[in-house]
Amino acid sequence: MHTLTARTLANVVTDLNYCENFNSYSDNSFPPNWSRLNMYDNTPKVTSIYSYSIQFRPYYSNTKPIAIMPAINSNDFNNLILSLDYRVDYTQTIIEVGIMEFPGNAANFVPIDTLRATSSSTSYINATVFLNSYSGNGRYIAFRVSDPTNYSAYAYIDNIKVSKCHISGGAVTNIRPTSLSLVWDSVNSYIPSDSIRITYGPETNFADSTSV
């Protein structure tokens, strides 16, 4: 007798670019298509203290609240890019970005990047996280917050965006914060290398693109 274990991806994100700024939610609520674990002081939750955002309050490193996005349904998960704004009350506060395969189990959180501030944030800091370092089967992007020295530390995330890094007519690999590798097939071996033009820019506003 064979046993088959299956799971469905409830609240799956299939439309990239995915954006969430939490502006449509009220104070102390939580997005219904997100989930949360390790709650402390009713966080993670939506707050409007600085902007409509997700607020975290960890209890030292003992309780690390986790906010979990809907599953990202992409066959090219490792070529996705996460962008967000964050702020923290203390420099010791740590925001970990991770991936989860089973969002109901906090031990399933696999960290892939850590966000910190060199000074207590008086404004939001923008961060970009590349998912190519993850090699598991998880499809849930999650955020976990801790602070080893403060029990009243707060952290905030806002303007969550997930988009795909891609190249038309080729492949992109080895994605890093300041570099990547492009591979494509030449349709004409007589085309000189100095006549090849690479154009890059924001997918949503290609008029702002740059060519090299």
Side-chain angles (χ1 to χ4, degrees):
M1 180 178 179
H2 299 283
T3 301
L4 175 64
T5 301
R7 62 191 176 92
T8 59
L9 300 180
N11 300 317
V12 176
V13 173
T14 58
D15 183 19
L16 298 176
N17 301 310
Y18 168 83
C19 300
E20 178 61 82
N21 60 17
F22 310 107
N23 289 350
S24 61
Y25 303 103
S26 59
D27 275 306
N28 300 314
S29 67
F30 195 73
N33 58 341
W34 286 48
S35 57
R36 49 187 172 175
L37 296 170
N38 296 348
M39 293 179 63
Y40 180 71
D41 194 22
N42 198 38
T43 73
K45 66 180 179 181
V46 172
T47 183
S48 61
I49 291 178
Y50 299 112
S51 66
Y52 279 97
S53 60
I54 294 291
Q55 180 191 60
F56 301 79
R57 183 188 177 187
Y59 186 75
Y60 296 106
S61 293
N62 300 324
T63 302
K64 303 176 181 180
I66 301 175
I68 307 163
M69 290 176 53
I72 305 294
N73 186 17
S74 172
N75 294 327
D76 203 12
F77 191 80
N78 293 100
N79 275 341
L80 298 181
I81 300 173
L82 168 71
S83 173
L84 72 151
D85 296 332
Y86 72 95
R87 62 183 294 162
V88 294
D89 286 344
Y90 299 98
T91 57
Q92 299 92 337
T93 305
I94 299 169
I95 302 176
E96 293 175 288
V97 179
I99 308 297
M100 302 180 71
E101 184 175 2
F102 303 103
N105 183 0
N108 195 240
F109 184 95
V110 178
I112 60 171
D113 205 350
T114 301
L115 308 178
R116 306 186 74 158
T118 56
S119 61
S120 298
S121 303
T122 56
S123 60
Y124 280 97
I125 302 169
N126 181 258
T128 300
V129 177
F130 298 88
L131 306 188
N132 62 312
S133 63
Y134 179 72
S135 58
N137 297 318
R139 291 296 180 266
Y140 295 86
I141 300 174
F143 308 90
R144 182 172 67 183
V145 176
S146 62
D147 192 304
T149 59
N150 295 288
Y151 71 91
S152 61
Y154 289 91
Y156 308 83
I157 59 172
D158 196 6
N159 297 323
I160 310 296
K161 298 178 183 179
V162 179
S163 57
K164 184 177 180 181
C165 181
H166 64 83
I167 176 174
S168 177
V172 56
T173 61
N174 300 321
I175 304 172
R176 298 291 184 268
T178 58
S179 66
L180 51 77
S181 298
L182 303 178
V183 180
W184 68 90
D185 294 325
S186 176
V187 296
N188 189 330
S189 60
Y190 297 103
I191 297 177
S193 59
D194 60 0
S195 68
I196 297 174
R197 172 173 293 182
I198 299 172
T199 301
Y200 62 93
E203 186 177 36
T204 55
N205 187 7
F206 210 65
D208 292 338
S209 61
T210 303
S211 297
V212 295

